[in-house]
Amino acid sequence: MASLLATSQPVLAEALRVWQRGGSCGLATVVATHGSAPRGPGAMLLVHEDGSVVGSISGGCVEGALYESALEALSTGVARIENYGPDGDILAPGLTCGGSLSVLVERVNHVSFPHLSIIVDELTAGRTCALHTTSPETGSTHTVVGHDSDHTRLTPDGSIVRVFVPAPRMVIVGSTDFAAEMSLLGARMGYRVTVCDARPLFVTATRLPHAHDLVCEWPSDYVARERDGARLDGRCVIIVLTHDPKIDVPVLVEGLDETRWPTPPFYVGAMGSKTADSRRRGELRDAGLGADRLARLHSPIGLPIGSAGPAETAVSIAAELIRLRADSAAG
């Protein structure tokens, strides 16, 4: 199965691997953006001692300059903040989109970044944490602190607060070929992917190599337990791919009944034809869900882009998630 941290935060995972073996690497982290920028605060690029690179900051606009800065920080141990923007110098690196960004460049090893393992432990446990870094250019001091924001930022006094947020959950119900494709795409999108199915024969790592968690349990019981244990929040996505009313209806009731959630899931969707969807909505009404709750059900699942087969269906679901996330961000 996939490594949760490696899939959702690959640069941080690579930094941890270097750190654990006692090595060093150069790390560049976006700490502020203004205007249009390809990546937001928190995006990272890592340079190994052999010169190889993991991650991306701008999609190519300033990577060359950052690469040299990261190598220098790796060699000297001196951190600094680099600023890139449309400054009018045709030879200077800048963003083609017209925005600007500030990037912290530093060396990461046991001495310079002693709190890295704590951050990773918190993320793996599903908890948000923040790292406060003072005086990055005159000798950084790191402190793990509480967080009052979900975003990495450069503060007015020149210190940096880096906020590390655990991956949102994606619960896929039904161990099918569609689930295998969706788990691959969900992991690529940064979700922590769980596939839940009550049939032990089908819930295997061989069938679902890209899922982070495989659960052999009645799906409605699993969703209820994870929700009641505060392990599912308002960012979570529930995708039902079973085509079986005795499974679909109970788990959809758990996902759609807002009275059972502190914050309702971001997305609840179910696969099926228009005929199957109509029948299922009738069964959900019979189970006590009113029109307002049924309006939150995305079914037939995915954007109607003419998809066919497991891979294309996964793409249509991913597209629907991206569109809804963009609409939510736009207010």
Side-chain angles (χ1 to χ4, degrees):
M1 288 186 291
S3 163
L4 168 59
L5 190 63
T7 303
S8 62
Q9 304 195 41
V11 180
L12 187 60
E14 185 64 19
L16 178 65
R17 281 191 283 270
V18 173
W19 190 92
Q20 287 175 325
R21 65 173 182 256
S24 299
C25 60
L27 186 67
T29 305
V30 177
V31 294
T33 63
H34 301 281
S36 180
R39 304 288 303 277
M44 293 185 287
L45 176 146
L46 179 149
V47 178
H48 286 289
E49 290 178 300
D50 66 3
S52 58
V53 179
V54 178
S56 173
I57 291 293
S58 69
C61 305
V62 301
E63 259 72 8
L66 270 177
Y67 176 77
E68 297 298 331
S69 295
L71 279 178
E72 185 176 343
L74 177 57
S75 173
T76 65
V78 178
R80 66 176 181 269
I81 295 176
E82 300 276 12
N83 297 295
Y84 300 98
D87 56 10
D89 184 349
I90 193 171
L91 297 178
L95 301 181
T96 57
C97 53
S100 62
L101 52 79
S102 299
V103 184
L104 171 65
V105 185
E106 62 192 327
R107 179 167 65 188
V108 171
N109 57 25
H110 279 185
V111 175
S112 66
F113 214 115
H115 297 89
L116 183 58
S117 64
I118 298 174
I119 294 167
V120 171
D121 288 345
E122 289 295 294
L123 289 174
T124 303
R127 295 187 291 266
T128 299
C129 63
L131 185 74
H132 183 239
T133 302
T134 60
S135 306
E137 296 179 307
T138 59
S140 298
T141 300
H142 300 299
T143 308
V144 177
V145 297
H147 62 94
D148 56 7
S149 169
D150 289 335
H151 303 290
T152 292
R153 62 198 182 278
L154 181 63
T155 65
D157 65 3
S159 62
I160 295 165
V161 177
R162 278 174 278 186
V163 180
F164 300 90
V165 181
R169 299 284 305 277
M170 175 181 284
V171 178
I172 301 173
V173 175
S175 178
T176 65
D177 290 345
F178 291 87
E181 294 291 344
M182 193 66 239
S183 62
L184 168 61
L185 210 48
R188 291 273 179 91
M189 294 171 69
Y191 287 93
R192 173 179 173 177
V193 179
T194 300
V195 178
C196 181
D197 195 306
R199 303 167 297 173
L201 180 64
F202 295 96
V203 189
T204 67
T206 301
R207 287 174 52 83
L208 300 155
H210 303 289
H212 303 107
D213 308 298
L214 299 178
V215 176
C216 186
E217 186 176 345
W218 197 251
S220 56
D221 292 344
Y222 174 74
V223 168
R225 190 178 73 250
E226 291 294 288
R227 177 199 62 217
D228 295 345
R231 291 179 291 274
L232 295 177
D233 59 22
R235 300 180 301 153
C236 80
V237 169
I238 299 173
I239 297 173
V240 180
L241 304 176
T242 44
H243 284 300
D244 187 339
K246 69 177 181 293
I247 297 172
D248 295 359
V249 171
V251 75
L252 289 173
V253 168
E254 292 293 346
L256 293 169
D257 187 350
E258 296 182 3
T259 65
R260 308 184 189 198
W261 294 79
T263 305
F266 176 72
Y267 178 92
V268 179
M271 191 168 68
S273 66
K274 291 182 179 180
T275 300
D277 173 61
S278 178
R279 181 175 61 250
R280 182 166 50 216
R281 287 177 184 270
E283 292 169 339
L284 289 168
R285 282 191 291 271
D286 292 342
L289 295 187
D292 56 337
R293 290 168 188 165
L294 286 176
R296 295 184 54 247
L297 174 61
H298 296 273
S299 176
I301 201 167
L303 289 185
I305 56 177
S307 55
E312 292 185 2
T313 298
V315 169
S316 74
I317 298 169
E320 187 170 43
L321 289 172
I322 293 167
R323 187 193 66 183
L324 291 169
R325 188 169 58 196
D327 290 346
S328 177

